[in-house]
Amino acid sequence: MYHNNTISKNKISSEFACRLNNLAPQQKVCIIVFLKLENLDKPINSRQSRIERKAAMEGIRNSAKQALGYIHKIIQDFGGKQLADSPDALGSIPVEISAAGVEALAESDAVKAVVEEQEIVPANDTNRFYLQNLEC
């Protein structure tokens, strides 16, 4: 699951790809990797019970941990590091990695999408909030 033959640009926005092209290949960036989750295609037709929701979240985490195992070598090969111990309930994990590593991750079958970790700025620009952690 290291690489696939589809165009990785579908997994990275054109704006982010443009910013990556302006970086040196070894320059580090902070990203959020959305992992491809398996066996979670069942539609939910009604409100789930607490136990059902807990089981669904556990299924997402287990599937994401499996996908994370596939991309762990990519992260290491490109001098990256995970910024969280395990994927969250959405199947995503923050990573610091080189610009070249972002492209390699996007080419992996285990990755659904790669987004740039970025701040969220309210319209009045008085307070600033961040999507994930502030280690980068």
Side-chain angles (χ1 to χ4, degrees):
M1 288 192 113
Y2 195 83
H3 294 297
N4 70 19
N5 293 331
T6 61
I7 300 171
S8 62
K9 291 181 182 176
N10 293 336
K11 296 180 183 180
I12 300 174
S13 73
S14 58
E15 295 85 3
F16 185 32
C18 182
R19 284 189 288 279
L20 286 173
N21 286 334
N22 292 323
L23 298 177
Q26 296 307 315
Q27 190 171 350
K28 301 278 181 154
V29 293
C30 289
I31 59 173
I32 300 170
V33 179
F34 287 88
L35 301 164
K36 192 167 282 183
L37 306 175
E38 302 294 329
N39 301 323
L40 298 172
D41 298 334
K42 290 189 265 180
I44 300 169
N45 295 327
S46 63
R47 181 158 168 80
Q48 293 180 316
S49 69
R50 179 178 289 195
I51 293 170
E52 290 170 325
R53 287 191 306 271
K54 186 175 180 179
M57 285 189 348
E58 192 62 34
I60 290 170
R61 283 192 179 106
N62 288 337
S63 182
K65 283 180 186 177
Q66 184 178 15
L68 184 59
Y70 291 120
I71 66 165
H72 184 71
K73 182 160 176 39
I74 299 171
I75 294 170
Q76 285 183 327
D77 288 350
F78 288 90
K81 66 178 180 178
Q82 294 174 205
L83 300 177
D85 293 330
S86 61
D88 62 18
L90 298 175
S92 68
I93 189 158
V95 173
E96 179 183 295
I97 196 163
S98 66
V102 174
E103 194 65 35
L105 284 170
E107 291 175 1
S108 172
D109 288 332
V111 173
K112 185 175 183 175
V114 178
V115 297
E116 185 176 22
E117 184 177 72
Q118 53 188 280
E119 65 182 329
I120 299 171
V121 182
N124 63 11
D125 201 31
T126 57
N127 296 317
R128 296 189 181 258
F129 302 93
Y130 294 86
L131 281 177
Q132 286 285 331
N133 68 43
L134 301 172
E135 292 184 26
C136 294

